């Protein structure tokens, strides 16, 4: 039985961001992906120049109506990422709610892109839409520490704080929460970054149980664009294959990320030459070259169950 994903994300002609970061790896893993481009740019905005168009909420509605008229709006997953427009985001929520009425088992995977390192990089008016409308209909969310703190109003200084924040996010709606990066002190040393995940399950008797994991991943001294989109897509895929095993799903997801990033940084340094920092074009993700690692990643990142 095929599994179909509606991916509403940005698109670039050159490189791997948004839908291009999500569609190829999902297709490699056997998912059918229908893509709606929230923006269509020549390249990502880390370059010196870019050109393109932004899809409006009305245009999104027209595209969705076309899918509906042909009765091909049957999805197992919806995947969304970066957007800057409140009306567009609210239209996404309307579409998700309608699709969930048609298929109550549909899973909505949302990367709530708001900001990082203490500051927002989307308009402030998106925050209440994410908090009050998007997160409540999401099933899986992948915030960074700043976004998780912003959505819950609670700061994370310790692992205990992180667990409490993930519980607060669960209470808002999502059964699976992965805080993709944090400022928590790593046990493996300063060259690592701490991520945490939490997944709620309902037992056959109706009682709830929660699995929480901690993952430490190696830091890389470079700025990549599109890694958040790839991460959300891989978490979608591996939680589909391991629906009740967040530990394994996270190990697979983070290991794919490791292999893609290592291949990208090695290639970028080779192109840049000794002692020179790679440029944005050189740091475009090496996605096609990582096909085998996406399909069957060697596990290089182990998750620890913390409760």
């Amino acid at each position: 039985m095929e599994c179909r994903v509606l991916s509403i994300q940005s698109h670039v002609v050159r490189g791997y961001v948004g839908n291009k970061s999500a569609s190829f790896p999902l297709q490699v893993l056997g998912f059918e992906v229908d893509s709606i481009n929230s923006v269509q740019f020549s390249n990502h905005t880390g370059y010196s120049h870019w050109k393109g168009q932004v899809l409006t909420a009305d245009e999104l509605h027209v595209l969705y109506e076309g899918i509906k008229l042909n009765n091909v709006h049957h999805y197992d997953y919806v995947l969304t990422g970066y957007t800057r427009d409140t009306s567009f985001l609210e239209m996404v929520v309307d579409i998700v709610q309608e699709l969930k009425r048609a298929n109550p088992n549909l899973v909505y995977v949302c990367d709530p892109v708001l900001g990082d390192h203490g500051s927002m990089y989307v308009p402030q008016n998106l925050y209440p839409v994410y908090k009050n409308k998007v997160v409540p209909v999401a099933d899986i969310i992948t915030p960074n520490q700043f976004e998780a703190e912003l959505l819950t109003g609670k700061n994370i200084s310790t692992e205990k704080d992180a667990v409490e924040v993930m519980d607060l996010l669960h209470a808002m709606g999502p059964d699976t929460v992965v805080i993709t990066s944090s400022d928590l002190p790593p046990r493996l040393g300063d060259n690592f970054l701490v991520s945490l995940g939490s997944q709620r399950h309902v037992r056959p008797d109706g009682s709830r149980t929660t699995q929480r994991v901690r993952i430490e991943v190696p830091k890389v001294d470079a700025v990549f664009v599109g890694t958040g989109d790839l991460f959300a897509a891989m978490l979608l895929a591996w939680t589909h294959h391991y629906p009740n095993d967040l530990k394994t799903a996270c190990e697979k997801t983070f290991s794919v990320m490791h292999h893609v990033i290592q291949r990208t940084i090695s290639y970028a340094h080779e192109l840049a030459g000794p002692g020179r920092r790679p440029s944005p074009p050189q740091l475009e993700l090496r996605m096609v070259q990582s096909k085998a690692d996406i399909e069957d990643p060697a596990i290089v990142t182990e998750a620890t169950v913390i409760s």
Side-chain angles (χ1 to χ4, degrees):
M1 184 88 177
E2 70 179 25
C3 201
R4 190 167 288 275
V5 180
L6 176 62
S7 181
I8 307 173
Q9 301 201 70
S10 56
H11 172 82
V12 291
V13 177
R14 170 65 191 269
Y16 285 90
V17 173
N19 274 327
K20 284 177 76 176
S21 276
S23 295
F24 173 73
L26 284 171
Q27 288 166 332
V28 161
L29 288 167
F31 293 82
E32 290 287 348
V33 183
D34 293 350
S35 300
I36 294 177
N37 299 330
S38 58
V39 306
Q40 182 161 275
F41 285 173
S42 54
N43 44 268
H44 69 68
T45 56
Y47 284 71
S48 301
H49 309 281
W50 69 90
K51 299 283 185 181
Q53 303 83 35
V54 178
L55 195 73
T56 67
D58 288 342
E59 288 165 340
L60 171 61
H61 180 68
V62 168
L63 288 172
Y64 177 65
E65 285 298 307
I67 296 169
K68 260 176 41 175
L69 286 170
N70 289 296
N71 196 31
V72 290
H73 59 302
H74 308 293
Y75 293 100
D76 302 287
Y77 288 90
V78 175
L79 175 63
T80 66
Y82 177 80
T83 185
R84 293 184 60 84
D85 181 72
T86 54
S87 60
F88 188 92
L89 199 53
E90 286 169 340
M91 181 60 67
V92 168
V93 172
D94 290 345
I95 290 171
V96 169
Q97 288 175 323
E98 184 170 313
L99 291 173
K100 283 193 169 195
R101 285 193 291 271
N103 175 17
N105 294 320
L106 179 139
V107 174
Y108 174 29
V109 181
C110 172
D111 181 5
V113 182
L114 288 162
D116 204 357
H117 304 300
S119 62
M120 292 182 68
Y121 41 61
V122 298
Q124 296 261 354
N125 58 0
L126 260 74
Y127 160 68
V129 181
Y130 270 112
K131 182 174 182 179
N132 300 322
K133 296 184 178 181
V134 179
V135 174
V137 299
D139 301 282
I140 299 174
I141 59 170
T142 58
N144 57 37
Q145 177 174 331
F146 172 73
E147 291 158 346
E149 291 175 334
L150 195 61
L151 289 167
T152 59
K154 180 176 173 58
N155 290 334
I156 297 173
S157 301
T158 65
E159 189 177 281
K160 182 174 177 290
D161 291 337
V163 168
E164 289 173 3
V165 164
M166 291 189 291
D167 284 345
L168 288 170
L169 290 167
H170 284 318
M172 293 167 69
D175 283 331
T176 301
V177 176
V178 176
I179 298 176
T180 55
S181 61
S182 76
D183 297 325
L184 294 178
R187 292 166 188 159
L188 296 177
D190 292 341
N191 292 327
F192 286 80
L193 200 63
V194 177
S195 301
L196 299 111
S198 180
Q199 189 174 56
R200 292 190 306 187
H201 302 285
V202 178
R203 294 191 182 101
D205 65 2
S207 63
R208 287 186 179 273
T209 180
T210 304
Q211 183 188 48
R212 301 186 184 92
V213 297
R214 174 189 174 108
I215 311 100
E216 300 202 6
V217 295
K219 287 182 181 176
V220 179
D221 184 22
V223 176
F224 302 95
V225 178
T227 49
D229 309 313
L230 174 60
F231 183 90
M234 291 297 86
L235 190 65
L236 181 161
W238 292 114
T239 52
H240 175 78
H241 290 298
Y242 298 93
N244 299 310
D245 186 359
L246 183 63
K247 180 180 186 295
T248 299
C250 281
E251 287 173 346
K252 295 271 192 181
T253 298
F254 279 97
S255 293
V256 169
M257 299 302 298
H258 173 85
H259 294 305
V260 173
I261 287 170
Q262 287 303 316
R263 183 169 286 105
T264 301
I265 196 72
S266 297
Y267 180 73
H269 281 306
E270 189 180 309
L271 288 182
R276 301 187 65 177
R277 287 191 73 83
S279 65
Q282 293 166 342
L283 287 167
E284 292 284 10
L285 297 177
R286 301 290 285 169
M287 202 76 79
V288 172
Q289 297 78 6
S290 302
K291 176 178 176 287
D293 290 316
I294 292 166
E295 289 178 297
D296 186 20
I299 302 302
V300 293
T301 305
E302 291 196 11
T304 304
V305 176
I306 55 177
S307 64

